Amino acid sequence: MTLSESGRDPSITGLHTFETIAVWIEKDANGVEHVVGTALDDLAQPNGIDLTNISGTDVIAAGSKVIIAQAEAVNAAIVWVADVGTNGNHVYELHATMLSSPGAGLDGQGFALVKPAETFNLMTLPAGVDLASIKVSGISGEGSADIIVQWDGVTAGDSNVYARHFGTILDPATGAAIAMTPVGNTIQVNANSQGDQSHNGVAGLLGDRFISVWQDSNASVTGGNGTDIVAQIFDTRAPGQHIVGDFVTPTGRVAARPDILVGTNGNDFIL
């Protein structure tokens, strides 16, 4: 199946209500980039929502990506980076929207998604953010439509991993998102900041928690043997609280860009 004849950096997610949603960045006839997408029902047929220009008039930041992530089982958060600077000065903002499903579809019938009329400005990104490193995850399985956004950032030549929690309010009548706003401040994920911490990954866990993973070149962690993969669990109910200390994978070859799979039934996670 070909979703588009052009575009870059696709991202995809599935909802518990059988919808599959893919998004990517694509140039229009004038060469201007937009966030676009498609939503499919359980028979892989378009479900009718217009996703031909999700980002509107936003200027998509060069080198950035669009990310879609499931949130609370039947919602999908779409996050991208807009360049709102002028006169050659780059100012980057995280913008987002949320697609929501009523969960009434079956066998290609009754599928629908709703989205808010306007997109949300989540935050202005600080200087030094690696735009291509931004990751997004939902939290709590079916308990919350909130999301975690995580990125690599460089300050004074030192690379660290940062994250921020964003709360979502849904209209109880329509199910559409009416607000996506920060909950608390940006946190530095890695406890040890010596060396470089980068190539991050993030996934939600049950109980309003999330797990972060990254590549760490800190000699006190790696023993001088290159880089290790380090993880940390956070509880958003107590901002900044570390549930467990840093831990390192067993000695051996590790992937530079790890993926995380989360089993919501047993609350297991695989690095």
Side-chain angles (χ1 to χ4, degrees):
M1 175 184 292
T2 300
L3 299 180
S4 174
E5 295 181 354
S6 64
R8 65 175 178 88
D9 297 312
S11 180
I12 193 167
T13 194
L15 304 184
H16 288 199
T17 44
F18 304 109
E19 292 93 348
T20 301
I21 308 162
V23 295
W24 59 93
I25 295 173
E26 182 175 297
K27 290 182 180 179
D28 63 18
N30 297 316
V32 178
E33 288 192 325
H34 304 280
V35 174
V36 303
T38 190
L40 307 175
D41 62 24
D42 62 341
L43 299 181
Q45 299 300 311
N47 79 349
I49 189 171
D50 182 7
L51 300 179
T52 54
N53 184 4
I54 300 168
S55 55
T57 59
D58 285 354
V59 176
I60 305 301
S64 67
K65 301 178 181 180
V66 58
I67 311 100
I68 188 169
Q70 182 192 114
E72 199 181 13
V74 298
N75 307 290
I78 304 172
V79 179
W80 63 94
V81 182
D83 188 347
V84 298
T86 58
N87 300 322
N89 298 313
H90 299 293
V91 177
Y92 300 120
E93 292 180 349
L94 274 182
H95 288 187
T97 191
M98 180 79 71
L99 307 183
S100 303
S101 169
L106 188 64
D107 295 334
Q109 301 295 319
F111 284 88
L113 288 168
V114 296
K115 64 177 180 178
E118 303 293 335
T119 60
F120 304 105
N121 179 3
L122 300 183
M123 65 176 290
T124 299
L125 290 169
V129 173
D130 179 355
L131 299 181
S133 74
I134 295 173
K135 306 292 192 305
V136 181
S137 177
I139 60 174
S140 294
E142 298 184 7
S144 171
D146 292 3
I147 62 172
I148 300 296
V149 180
Q150 189 168 276
W151 63 88
D152 301 344
V154 177
T155 303
D158 186 30
S159 179
N160 295 288
V161 179
Y162 301 91
R164 196 163 191 184
H165 175 198
F166 295 92
T168 303
I169 300 175
L170 302 175
D171 187 316
T174 66
I178 56 178
M180 296 180 72
T181 55
V183 179
N185 298 318
T186 299
I187 63 169
Q188 180 175 306
V189 170
N190 50 287
N192 297 311
S193 59
Q194 296 178 351
D196 286 329
Q197 292 76 37
S198 59
H199 301 90
N200 76 88
V202 62
L205 298 173
L206 298 182
D208 294 328
R209 298 175 300 152
F210 67 96
I211 182 170
S212 298
V213 65
W214 62 91
Q215 176 180 296
D216 197 332
S217 68
N218 185 347
S220 66
V221 174
T222 66
N225 296 318
T227 59
D228 278 351
I229 303 303
V230 182
Q232 182 82 53
I233 297 175
F234 294 88
D235 190 335
T236 63
R237 296 167 296 185
Q241 179 185 4
H242 294 184
I243 303 305
V244 297
D246 291 343
F247 66 89
V248 181
T249 59
T251 302
R253 186 175 180 81
V254 294
R257 296 177 182 268
D259 293 326
I260 303 175
L261 303 178
V262 178
T264 55
N265 288 334
N267 204 25
D268 298 331
F269 52 88
I270 304 170
L271 304 182

